[in-house]
Amino acid sequence: MRVLRIVDLSVPVGPGTVIYPGDPEPALTVHSTIERDGFNLLDVHLGSQTGTHVDAPFHFEESGARIDELDLTLFTGPGVVVDATGLGPRGVVTWDHIEPVADRIDPGTIVLLHTGWDEHYGTPAYFENPYLDADACRRLLELGVRTIGLDALNLDETPDEEHPGVGFPCHHLIADLGGVIIENLRGLGDIDFADPFVSVLPIRLEAADGAPVRAVAVELAP
């Protein structure tokens, strides 16, 4: 196996990282310095859903598996990118977007929904993200998919005072089957090669509802 290219699909983690409303704000502060202590060391404070991250079933299901209990094959595998670009604020990713690549989706496929919404990262518009239709989510799960991600804040509609949402249906559907969700991806449009190998391996946080990841798409030599 020879790696030709690695595409970074992760947002940076720091004081400017966009967080879901109400989540802990990340903070990186200097704990030790070479001048004072002989080495550099950061004090890192962040939430389990900070930056590009994966949700374990426990995030929405009390009896669901925690992040450190999941099979690592959920976080690595062949990827298929769904073109869902061109949607407006709170646009819905439907089966019509997925159908053109449905014949490439098998059990174990990591489905990446490319909405292009990462271009709004760091602006108020980022919270008006497109989201996955619940029926399309069911159909992906029926195909054996257990890992779904997108380049936006939330796989479901992000509620606010004017948009109450409908209860995070995709989160519950995926959690019920022991699957995982990837959120806050970026750069999915840079995957311009066929058959990417995707890795979203999480930090091994004990008994956690999720964890940050360094998400990448790898182009392998044929």
Side-chain angles (χ1 to χ4, degrees), residues 165-178:
V166 291
F168 301 93
C170 293
H171 278 77
H172 286 288
L173 288 166
I174 295 168
D176 284 346
L177 293 179

Side-chain angles (χ1 to χ4, degrees), residues 30-43:
V30 174
H31 181 273
S32 304
T33 66
I34 291 175
E35 181 180 10
R36 186 185 66 213
D37 308 292
F39 55 89
N40 287 320
L41 181 69
L42 278 178
D43 182 334

Side-chain angles (χ1 to χ4, degrees), residues 95-169:
W95 187 254
D96 287 341
H97 296 98
I98 300 167
E99 190 169 28
V101 295
D103 61 343
R104 294 165 46 203
I105 297 174
D106 298 302
T109 298
I110 296 177
V111 174
L112 305 175
L113 306 177
H114 176 209
T115 69
W117 211 249
D118 53 330
E119 71 179 32
H120 299 292
Y121 188 84
T123 75
Y126 194 63
F127 298 92
E128 301 285 325
N129 60 279
Y131 58 95
L132 179 61
D133 172 65
D135 180 65
C137 182
R138 288 189 190 93
R139 295 180 70 168
L140 284 172
L141 294 172
E142 289 170 359
L143 292 176
V145 173
R146 293 295 180 268
T147 306
I148 304 173
L150 84 168
D151 50 358
L153 182 71
N154 189 352
L155 191 65
D156 284 302
E157 184 176 15
T158 300
D160 61 20
E161 292 181 358
E162 297 180 5
H163 307 89
V166 291
F168 301 93

Side-chain angles (χ1 to χ4, degrees), residues 20-75:
Y20 192 86
D23 279 7
E25 294 190 12
L28 309 179
T29 56
V30 174
H31 181 273
S32 304
T33 66
I34 291 175
E35 181 180 10
R36 186 185 66 213
D37 308 292
F39 55 89
N40 287 320
L41 181 69
L42 278 178
D43 182 334
V44 178
H45 174 82
L46 70 167
S48 57
Q49 307 279 323
T50 297
T52 306
H53 66 271
V54 289
D55 296 353
F58 180 63
H59 186 42
F60 269 82
E61 298 294 338
E62 193 64 41
S63 61
R66 318 294 179 96
I67 199 73
D68 55 337
E69 298 172 336
L70 292 169
D71 189 328
L72 293 182
T73 58
L74 286 167
F75 308 110

